[in-house]
Amino acid sequence: MDSIIAESPASPPSPYNQPFFTNIKEEEPQMEIHSKNAPAIYQPTTAEVVSKVEALLESVIDSLLQKQKKIHIPIHVKKQAPKPSIDSSSRSFTASAWTRVLVNFPGRDSREVFKFAVLWRILGLVHEALAKGIIVSKRNIYYKDPALFKTQSVVDRYIDIVAYTLGVQRAALNVTAAAKGLVAGSFAVIRRDGIVGSERSHLAMSLIDEVDDIMSIDTSGVAWILVVEKESTFRTLASSRFHNTSKAGKGIIMTGKGYPDLSTRAFLYLLSISRIPKQSPAPIYALVDFDPDGINIMSTYKHGSWNLSHEDANHNVPSICWLGPKSEDLLFHNGDSDKCESEMVSDGEGAGLLRLSLRDRRRAVGMMKKNNLKKSGQDKEWRRELQVMLMLGLKAEMELLGNRKKGLEAWVEQKLIIKNKTKEEHK
């Protein structure tokens, strides 16, 4: 196969010098705030991860054998602080501060006992998966002991805590999340076992593949990639085969069903680094609601999220651009700022326009304090659109575009054609 190919990223190993525990004394304070950098996130070998997990487990067993009054499991938890950064040259993770928490048994209260039991159980299950060389889902882990975990969110949270404490990505623990995202389009997946998946343009849609199983992706002939915020809108476009029939050329449509999970972000990242001979990388656009959450979802694809910032190195897509809808698409007729359309209604309701809620306003103001949305930040257009929302007190859902004479598909198609034409002119 001559064309192709986005290869799965492999970050160079870097030493992880932050110890899991250091001669913990009983009088040591419960929490320590560290202003130094958080542990670097890298791609370790399975043996290294097993060694780290066993070090934690053995520290507890040693404490039991020594009949210590208290047993500790030290963990690293991110302190609320400005968004960490990713060094683009080394793809290493740094954060301004983290908190070292000693989870004790016996604990100060029932909540701490619960945390200790959950951590101990998860460490044991992760060690078992690594030792046997099997991949387990977070859902599988939950069903190993639902009486203990209570809810799936408990498992999700503590898996991320364990990964952060060990200084590795979640995939290094042999733990994966169940697929959430959907994709439709003209591409073929080449798996690590050598199996070449069939070209998928004939399929209406499919679940996004687990990136750990992918060696490369063939995106030959793809003219554009569209990330859609909402599943309903994605299904509208996919069911009409928009990715095959659009005048903008063949493309790929995908959705993370709102805020994306790691699998969806990783798959988009893999698509974004496709390098096909004699073909420029396909531009990536986002179709999101005209509201603070829509911009925040787009920002998650581009810059990552705070909660999973230690996973961002091979998940962020800096090249993603906003297709719309923007204020000019919703408030003005055909982009003419002098002609206000009837959709600009006085009460802010009807025709798809809604009033900003107090939560929306708080979120917008908070977002503009982030580095990328400050006055000097790189996403100046996003900041301006947030300011428009706040000034007018209005937001809009993308379904508004479906009320136009030619409908949503025609609007998206026209935007893609204009964007691609502009791209060609700037070559």
Side-chain angles (χ1 to χ4, degrees), residues 14-79:
S14 60
Y16 172 66
N17 298 318
Q18 200 61 46
F20 306 132
F21 48 88
T22 51
N23 299 323
I24 300 170
K25 299 178 182 179
E26 287 188 32
E27 65 271 20
E28 189 170 359
Q30 185 69 18
M31 301 176 70
E32 302 172 3
I33 305 299
H34 296 250
S35 59
K36 54 191 173 186
N37 286 344
I41 303 298
Y42 69 106
Q43 299 288 344
T45 64
T46 299
E48 287 176 315
V49 182
V50 169
S51 177
K52 292 174 185 292
V53 174
E54 288 180 346
L56 283 174
L57 294 172
E58 288 171 2
S59 70
V60 174
I61 294 171
D62 288 344
S63 296
L64 287 170
L65 293 175
Q66 295 169 14
K67 298 182 179 180
Q68 294 182 5
K69 292 181 179 180
K70 281 195 175 182
I71 307 167
H72 309 276
I73 298 180
I75 60 174
H76 293 154
V77 180
K78 293 171 201 166
K79 182 186 176 186

Side-chain angles (χ1 to χ4, degrees), residues 147-389:
L148 170 63
F149 297 133
K150 308 294 185 188
T151 66
Q152 180 66 54
S153 61
V154 170
V155 173
D156 297 348
R157 182 165 65 254
Y158 281 89
I159 286 291
D160 287 333
I161 287 173
V162 168
Y164 187 71
T165 299
L166 299 180
V168 301
Q169 294 184 347
R170 187 192 66 209
L173 303 178
N174 280 13
V175 177
T176 185
K180 172 189 174 187
L182 296 170
V183 64
S186 304
F187 68 94
V189 169
I190 296 87
R191 302 188 179 282
R192 293 190 183 278
D193 57 12
I195 297 176
V196 180
S198 59
E199 204 271 340
R200 301 191 187 184
S201 60
H202 65 287
L203 298 176
M205 65 191 76
S206 61
L207 285 170
I208 283 176
D209 300 76
E210 183 59 47
V211 171
D212 292 339
D213 299 331
I214 299 175
M215 181 177 71
S216 56
I217 301 177
D218 179 4
T219 57
S220 306
V222 171
W224 49 267
I225 298 170
L226 182 64
V227 181
V228 183
E229 173 186 347
K230 292 181 175 178
E231 181 183 0
S232 58
T233 304
F234 165 84
R235 288 184 178 276
T236 298
L237 295 171
S239 61
S240 67
R241 309 280 179 163
F242 181 80
H243 50 282
N244 282 338
T245 61
S246 170
K247 294 177 183 178
K250 289 190 175 182
I252 297 173
I253 313 171
M254 57 186 292
T255 181
K257 301 179 183 178
Y259 283 91
D261 60 1
L262 282 174
S263 295
T264 304
R265 291 174 53 203
F267 189 81
L268 182 63
Y269 172 78
L270 204 53
L271 287 172
S272 74
I273 61 172
S274 296
R275 291 295 180 269
I276 301 172
K278 300 180 181 180
Q279 181 179 327
S280 300
I284 301 173
Y285 303 112
L287 179 64
V288 298
D289 285 339
F290 179 71
D291 64 14
D293 278 304
I295 294 179
N296 207 29
I297 287 170
M298 189 163 48
S299 182
T300 300
Y301 282 107
K302 185 173 183 177
H303 302 292
S305 69
W306 168 253
N307 289 336
L308 295 173
S309 50
H310 58 287
E311 301 268 7
D312 282 348
N314 295 324
H315 295 81
N316 293 353
V317 181
S319 62
I320 194 169
C321 298
W322 190 4
L323 188 71
K326 304 173 188 176
S327 56
E328 63 182 18
D329 302 309
L330 300 166
L331 306 180
F332 304 112
H333 182 64
N334 294 328
D336 185 352
S337 59
D338 295 326
K339 295 181 181 180
C340 212
E341 206 174 44
S342 61
E343 289 161 351
M344 181 66 175
V345 292
S346 59
D347 62 356
E349 304 288 343
L353 287 177
L354 304 168
R355 291 287 184 189
L356 281 182
S357 66
L358 181 58
R359 173 191 173 278
D360 291 328
R361 288 185 173 278
R362 287 173 175 168
R363 175 158 293 237
V365 171
M367 287 169 61
M368 287 194 290
K369 294 178 182 178
K370 294 181 179 180
N371 291 335
N372 65 301
L373 289 170
K374 289 180 179 179
K375 285 184 179 179
S376 58
Q378 58 180 293
D379 298 319
K380 292 181 174 60
E381 180 193 31
W382 299 5
R383 177 183 174 87
R384 185 184 71 83
E385 293 296 308
L386 284 171
Q387 289 173 327
V388 170
M389 291 178 204

